[in-house]
Amino acid sequence: MKYQLLTIATLSCVFCVSARGSWTIDNVSYNVDTLYHATVGPGTSETHLRVTHPASGEFNNLFYTTVKLSDPYVEIRAAKAGNSMSAVETVPEIAERFSKPGELYFAGTNADFFNTYPPYNALGATITNGSLANFNTPAASADIDDYFLYFDRDNIPSFARHVVPNAEGSIQFPDGSQYLHKVNASRGTDGMVLYTPQWKTGNYASGYTGTNKYGTEVKVRPVGDLTLFGHNQEFEVIEAPVKSVGNMRIPEDGCVISAHGAAQAYLSNLRKGDVVKAYIGIRADNRSVSVKELIGGFPFLLRDNEVEPTPSYPGHLANREPRTAVGYNRDKSLLTMLVVDGRNAGGSAGVTQNMLARFMRELGACNAMNFDGGGSSTLYIEKLGVRNVPSTSSLDKDRPEGQPRVVVNALFAVAKAPADNEIASIEIREKRLDISAGETYTPVVYGYNRYGVLVDADLRNFTCEISPQLGTLDDVTFTAGGGYYRGDLTVKYGKASYSIPVFVNGTDGEYVSSGVDNIICDQDNAATVEYYNALGQRIVSPTPGQLVIERQGLRVTRRVYR
């Protein structure tokens, strides 16, 4: 069976999202094609680019989100797999676990490097929604453990080379007395520890303190939003203290204070309804800071718009691999999360750390950090699924290409808005339509609520209008006419409307071919049906709302599957 994949140059004549541009990197002018761009949540857009070397023709597929951090309905959150110190999950599974009414984890990437064997420790740290999910004390020579991105209570990001939690901390009791304590640590002699639901130790199940019976423990619940680090946090006692039992269950919406030896006296007099005040200092690059979210990575890619040198360790940083990165612009108003595919997944060649840094700078980042890459690299959008093509490696060769691999933690944009399924605004998935005479097109329409949350990625019951010279309209399906015309296609849903430009038979009189001539077809009309996506890549089967090229022998058709 002979066939030739459709090239992007061929397919771009069918549905071109926006314009073709270029990036000049090391005196080479790379071709940059925008394959997709759409709003995917409050203050958040998703974009797909193809960046091609002009001489070799090698290309990289880039998938990234841009988050407007000042949007009142979006927060950035770190999230630990399993919401436990020792667990792994895929990025979509983490999003599903953490999402709840009023908090939708709608866009995210994988994050920190981790040990690929139990207990799957992240090599850096995770502070999620004010709770310490894991922290590894780095060895003096282990630089890989020592790079962090953190966010304060106002959603403002910062990078730090060294972070030291538990640098200082105390709990103040109702009588004014204080005692030093730690968070999510083993309880030592005369020690006091605050355990959050993420704690796990030894063979004990996650969600228990794992302590012995030689102590006193009490259940507490945070008053208001939880921000343990660099902030005074109040806790209300929700049950009377329990002595000489140990291994207390940690409430999902609260914590446990556990004390041993001399520290027990401070807990023994507590009563239900009492309020204690905890403070844990945290230092980033020798500065005391307030931290609500924190996640590790390695190494820095950009600092003050300058590309960082590539470290000699680990050696794969100089290889062309799938990569994940995070960064923010100069005034910290925009956050970018980027995945670049590699290992020829989807045809993408992969990039070195140096090239990843340059891509992040082209996308507007001034400061950026590398996350775990390879088979871990995943960009996920709720309602749309995994957006890139995760690759396989020797570690997980049995996992099918394109399926996300389990990771230890992830970074998400979270919609902080009331549940609301009423459509207030709409957007057509394609942002420009180039079409030839006789071809048809049915818009795929996204619907958003008043907070900017994507609630429907395949909206129905909309109406459609076209400029009369472009062709004909059968309900919401447009058929291009003859001649060379530029006009608009508009969809309407209730009071909402959205328009895109349409170019029939090319732009400025240049004829555009149908885009299917480059497929060499079997002469056997009984051949197996084969499918290709809009990038010309072979796929197993279409998914709802996907534009595909369908080939069976000599028959080649193009359609959006519903």
Side-chain angles (χ1 to χ4, degrees), residues 79-145:
K80 179 69 182 65
N83 198 28
S84 168
M85 296 184 75
S86 179
V88 287
E89 291 179 305
T90 65
V91 175
E93 288 170 341
I94 297 173
E96 183 178 0
R97 175 182 296 277
F98 277 83
S99 291
K100 59 185 180 181
E103 294 184 8
L104 178 65
Y105 285 63
F106 70 88
T109 66
N110 65 293
D112 205 353
F113 292 83
F114 62 101
N115 295 322
T116 55
Y117 48 84
Y120 307 109
N121 290 325
L123 298 188
T126 314
I127 294 175
T128 172
N129 198 24
S131 294
L132 181 66
N134 74 278
F135 186 82
N136 286 347
T137 302
S141 60
D143 288 346
I144 195 169
D145 296 344

Side-chain angles (χ1 to χ4, degrees), residues 206-265:
S206 179
Y208 290 81
T209 63
T211 54
N212 59 34
K213 64 181 181 180
Y214 303 108
T216 299
E217 298 183 326
V218 62
K219 293 182 180 180
V220 297
R221 182 178 294 125
V223 178
D225 291 337
L226 181 64
T227 307
L228 280 175
F229 298 94
H231 169 71
N232 286 315
Q233 176 70 56
E234 291 186 339
F235 290 90
E236 180 183 357
V237 176
I238 56 178
E239 291 182 9
V242 177
K243 186 177 181 179
S244 303
V245 176
N247 197 30
M248 179 175 281
R249 184 178 183 86
I250 305 168
E252 291 184 2
D253 62 345
C255 302
V256 169
I257 303 175
S258 180
H260 174 273
Q264 292 185 76

